[in-house]
Amino acid sequence: MKRFTATFLALGFSAFSFSSFTPPAPAPKVPIEKRVEDLLAKMTLEEKVGQLNFVVGDLFNTGPTVRTTQSDKFNEAIKKGEITGIFNIHGAEYVGKLQKLAVKESRLGIPLLIGADIIHGFKTVFPIPLGESASWDLAAIENGARVAALESSAGGINLTFAPMVDITRDSRWGRTAEGAGEDTYLGSLIAAARVKGFQGKDLADPRTIAACVKHFVAYGAAEAGRDYNTTDMSEYLLRDVYLPPFKAALDAGSATLMSAFNELNGVPATGNMFTMDQILRKEWGFKGAVISDWQNITEMVNHGYSKDHAQAAEQAIKAGTDVDMMGEAYLKYVPGLVKSGKLDQKILDESVRRVLWLKFQLGLFDKPYQYSDTKREKKEIRSKENLAAAFDMARKSIVLLKNQGNVLPLSPQVKKIAIIGPLGHNKADMNGTWSFFGEEQHAVSFLEGIKKYAKGAEVTYAQGCNLYDNSTALFAEAVAAAKNADVVIMAIGESAVMNGEGGSRADIGLPGVQLDLVKEIHKTGKPMVALVSSGRALELTWLEQNVSAILATWSLGSEAGNAVASVLYGEYNPAGKLPLSFPRHVGQMPLYYNIKNTGRMYDGDHSEPGSERVYKSRYRDVPNTALFPFGYGLSYTTFAYGTPRLSKNSITGQETLTVTVDVTNTGKLAGEEVVQLYIQDLVGSTARPMKQLKKFQKLAFAPGEKKTISFTLNTQDLSFWRQDMTFGAEPGDFKVMVGGNSRDVQTLPFTLTAL
């Protein structure tokens, strides 16, 4: 104690009882705003521009530029402060080395962003986003993003270029796979769930990553469904359909946003002052950083909007695109633009502020190595818990489209099963598009999963055909396997690279000779179950007419085979619902449920499309309707809907309307049902859709159980962008519709009397 007291006195403290000592209060925390401004004041023009330059790593590419594989190629650029970050790299140790260069050897020690396309998982791969959306399970979708954030942050990543929230009404577009389908309401809820999953409650938590909602805006409406193509639409359509999911993602806290490849009404999205400045910054008040997509600043020259890369850089940064991904236009031309007076340095400073703010929010200045924990990397990647979550999500994503004669679930009496098709024992394509962090060897194939569940049954496999040629050489072996089986499981559809970015297809039927193979197997007369893997809605008309059972299995990720087998054997009762409409023919594209009436709307029964000459909006060769409508999905049990009830027949703008319906599980198995509510505004200052999803609930039912489900509608649910370009409701007559999908609904009228 004497030694302690002496030391204490030597340090300048008064002698007093240790038990009464109160340590000095910690220094007040400096606000991020001040730290940003202090750092900005120290930066040279070149260092500022360096914070707007995002480059791809040396592991793999997601764009057209060919990169080398030299792991030290970034060293000098990092030391000079010429790059803000690197994307599509990973590895805690590697990231730590790069971060050390930035923090210790650059003049100002500004840490790096480490970005990546974490679209549906990292090493543990979840179903593609379109598949996850078919679950209509927001909690599970949020958890999938949470697991992706846990794993990718353990691997050194702090920023993901996700979620993609583009509304898709044309399944020819390959990137349909990355989104939530055709509906604005469902897409908005899923956008918010994914942002919350990635970012958690605190971006400074090393187990979270910053989200980058993309692609702003209307990229999903590319003409003819052709990737990167032109988009042209009214402001009403833009605001009513395509903008809301972005607003929902930003309201959920998305730290950043990515601009789109397409032009919109003649102006490329990256330089579009109306969407980027007027809507995003002024109307919505978004303060975060906007990141360009791969080289889409310099591509404004290709659009014919910019005369050269220097003008493209000027137009993009003035519009509000803060970070240049892989174009190096800012690095090369912004210093000159500032020096010449063509670009006000205040605009440059504002972009730099947004980037620095993001880095402070991520905690990188205080803990630059928090994403470089190699022990955590080993522990948290592909853990049992993560794989269990992927398995759960994969089962929930499967949609039962047909089950004639209750072929499914498979009976214990089925002793011989033939799995036929190019996706039957294909591990690589189980992971799907945008899964380049997931290793092929870890995915569970359909054959592996079914063998595990098929206790006592003989399971054989025949490939039947290849994915990328039209050879029929393997047909005979497949037919022989089918003849020797009690049930045939056809594993067919798209490979991982047949959809996704650059994966647009003019023909969205089964690729190659797969349909011919199915027809040959059908001739054997054996019961057939089709597992249809895809990243879009496919044209399945022949299958719907001839195959006993059809399951939409999308691309289900790491646990694909186990999830499918769990559903086939009834361990899990499928409850997925389609997030987009499946066509009868590709000629129906774009196809979506929430269409508007026309002056000559056709409401015939479509039983004989060419039998009558009527001057109505219709096809003469196929019905107008979808083969499988939005919101559709069967179960191994059945659900009966009672007559809906309204709390009142009319409401004012200050009142709410309660819609109640009884739903009963009338089958012998437990199951889940997604109860859906739609509305129609019968007369508006702009024509309104015939049907719009406004509410849904996913509920579990025991056999024979009846539940009373209630929905509440308010004026916000009835609002839209009116003719005078204000947002709100209009008094008038409405319909409310309740059912298990967008087609099979019961309808009641009500009135909004006044606002």
Side-chain angles (χ1 to χ4, degrees), residues 204-283:
D205 183 339
R207 286 170 169 78
T208 67
I209 55 178
C212 182
V213 59
K214 64 184 185 185
H215 309 83
F216 199 70
V217 60
Y219 184 30
E223 288 184 358
R226 201 172 71 240
D227 212 353
Y228 316 116
N229 204 11
T230 297
T231 301
D232 197 281
M233 65 175 59
S234 70
E235 186 179 345
Y236 297 107
L237 185 63
L238 179 70
R239 289 185 180 273
D240 243 14
V241 174
Y242 292 93
L243 282 171
F246 288 93
K247 183 63 163 59
L250 297 183
D251 287 346
S254 182
T256 66
L257 176 144
M258 180 177 286
S259 62
F261 283 113
N262 60 289
E263 69 163 51
L264 177 62
N265 302 336
V267 181
T270 304
N272 196 307
M273 292 291 293
F274 176 64
T275 56
M276 297 278 282
D277 185 60
Q278 175 61 36
I279 294 176
L280 183 65
R281 300 298 190 190
K282 292 186 173 67
E283 293 183 23

Side-chain angles (χ1 to χ4, degrees), residues 35-51:
R35 297 179 73 182
V36 168
E37 294 305 317
D38 289 348
L39 182 56
L40 190 65
K42 299 174 184 176
M43 298 175 73
T44 65
L45 175 60
E46 288 72 21
E47 286 170 332
K48 290 177 180 179
V49 175
Q51 286 303 303

Side-chain angles (χ1 to χ4, degrees), residues 176-434:
T176 298
E178 296 174 51
E182 71 187 47
D183 185 70
T184 301
Y185 175 72
L186 179 62
S188 296
L189 294 177
I190 291 174
R194 288 191 168 127
V195 169
K196 292 174 183 176
F198 287 132
Q199 297 193 166
K201 296 181 180 179
D202 182 6
L203 275 181
D205 183 339
R207 286 170 169 78
T208 67
I209 55 178
C212 182
V213 59
K214 64 184 185 185
H215 309 83
F216 199 70
V217 60
Y219 184 30
E223 288 184 358
R226 201 172 71 240
D227 212 353
Y228 316 116
N229 204 11
T230 297
T231 301
D232 197 281
M233 65 175 59
S234 70
E235 186 179 345
Y236 297 107
L237 185 63
L238 179 70
R239 289 185 180 273
D240 243 14
V241 174
Y242 292 93
L243 282 171
F246 288 93
K247 183 63 163 59
L250 297 183
D251 287 346
S254 182
T256 66
L257 176 144
M258 180 177 286
S259 62
F261 283 113
N262 60 289
E263 69 163 51
L264 177 62
N265 302 336
V267 181
T270 304
N272 196 307
M273 292 291 293
F274 176 64
T275 56
M276 297 278 282
D277 185 60
Q278 175 61 36
I279 294 176
L280 183 65
R281 300 298 190 190
K282 292 186 173 67
E283 293 183 23
W284 294 357
F286 180 58
K287 304 297 184 184
V290 173
I291 303 171
S292 84
D293 209 333
W294 185 295
Q295 295 181 347
N296 69 2
I297 292 177
T298 54
E299 285 176 5
M300 291 200 294
V301 175
N302 302 346
H303 282 286
Y305 182 74
S306 310
K307 67 179 180 180
D308 54 31
H309 290 177
Q311 186 183 28
E314 179 183 353
Q315 291 168 324
I317 197 168
K318 285 181 176 179
T321 300
D322 301 306
V323 177
D324 180 2
M325 178 189 286
M326 283 307 296
E328 295 193 343
Y330 285 2
L331 196 67
K332 293 176 182 177
Y333 301 109
V334 165
L337 289 169
V338 172
K339 291 174 183 177
S340 69
K342 289 185 176 181
L343 177 66
D344 190 332
Q345 182 156 315
K346 291 181 180 178
I347 295 175
L348 170 63
D349 287 352
E350 189 58 34
S351 288
V352 178
R353 278 190 188 93
R354 293 170 185 145
V355 174
L356 295 177
W357 177 270
L358 173 62
K359 292 183 176 183
F360 274 111
Q361 281 187 310
L362 286 166
L364 292 174
F365 283 93
D366 298 319
K367 297 179 180 180
Y369 309 114
Q370 67 178 355
Y371 296 93
S372 304
D373 186 339
T374 55
K375 292 182 180 178
R376 185 183 153 222
E377 183 178 34
K378 292 177 181 178
K379 178 182 178 182
E380 296 193 1
I381 291 178
R382 286 188 55 80
S383 69
K384 290 181 179 179
E385 294 80 6
N386 295 351
L387 289 170
F391 174 64
D392 177 66
M393 187 77 255
R395 295 196 303 184
K396 290 178 175 177
S397 301
I398 295 170
V399 183
L400 179 62
L401 298 177
K402 183 182 180 183
N403 192 21
Q404 186 176 6
N406 293 322
V407 172
L408 296 176
L410 293 176
S411 164
Q413 279 68 49
V414 174
K415 298 301 183 183
K416 293 185 177 182
I417 300 171
I419 302 174
I420 296 172
L423 294 172
H425 191 36
N426 181 325
K427 295 168 74 70
D429 287 315
M430 295 299 99
N431 285 334
T433 185
W434 288 108

Side-chain angles (χ1 to χ4, degrees), residues 650-715:
S650 63
I651 59 171
T652 66
Q654 286 70 49
E655 295 177 311
T656 60
L657 178 70
T658 301
V659 183
T660 305
V661 64
D662 295 329
V663 180
T664 305
N665 179 353
T666 55
K668 298 180 180 180
L669 298 174
E672 297 167 284
E673 173 70 340
V674 180
V675 182
Q676 302 162 41
L677 182 145
Y678 299 82
I679 67 162
Q680 182 186 8
D681 187 346
L682 297 180
V683 179
S685 57
T686 62
R688 305 306 301 140
M690 296 175 66
K691 203 172 290 179
Q692 289 180 287
L693 179 70
K694 287 297 177 180
K695 304 285 179 180
F696 67 87
Q697 292 183 39
K698 186 172 185 177
L699 301 164
F701 292 78
E705 183 179 9
K706 180 172 77 172
K707 291 187 177 182
T708 299
I709 296 101
S710 294
F711 299 99
T712 301
L713 293 172
N714 57 31
T715 308

Side-chain angles (χ1 to χ4, degrees), residues 465-472 511-513:
C465 67
N466 298 315
L467 286 165
Y468 302 105
D469 64 45
N470 293 324
S471 172
T472 61
V513 294

Side-chain angles (χ1 to χ4, degrees), residues 236 685-686 720-726 730:
Y236 297 107
S685 57
T686 62
F720 63 100
W721 285 93
R722 299 172 292 204
Q723 190 176 91
D724 62 359
M725 292 312 300
T726 60
E730 294 177 343

Side-chain angles (χ1 to χ4, degrees), residues 77-105:
I78 292 172
K79 292 176 184 178
K80 293 178 182 178
E82 292 180 346
I83 58 178
T84 189
I86 306 167
F87 64 95
N88 286 349
I89 63 170
H90 67 91
E93 183 178 358
Y94 179 38
V95 168
K97 290 178 180 178
L98 295 175
Q99 207 67 275
K100 187 175 181 180
L101 283 174
V103 173
K104 298 295 186 182
E105 300 193 41

Side-chain angles (χ1 to χ4, degrees), residues 613-630:
R613 182 173 294 279
V614 290
Y615 297 99
K616 299 287 187 179
S617 179
R618 56 167 289 191
Y619 297 106
R620 292 194 61 80
D621 51 350
V622 297
N624 291 356
T625 55
L627 181 68
F628 300 114
F630 173 83

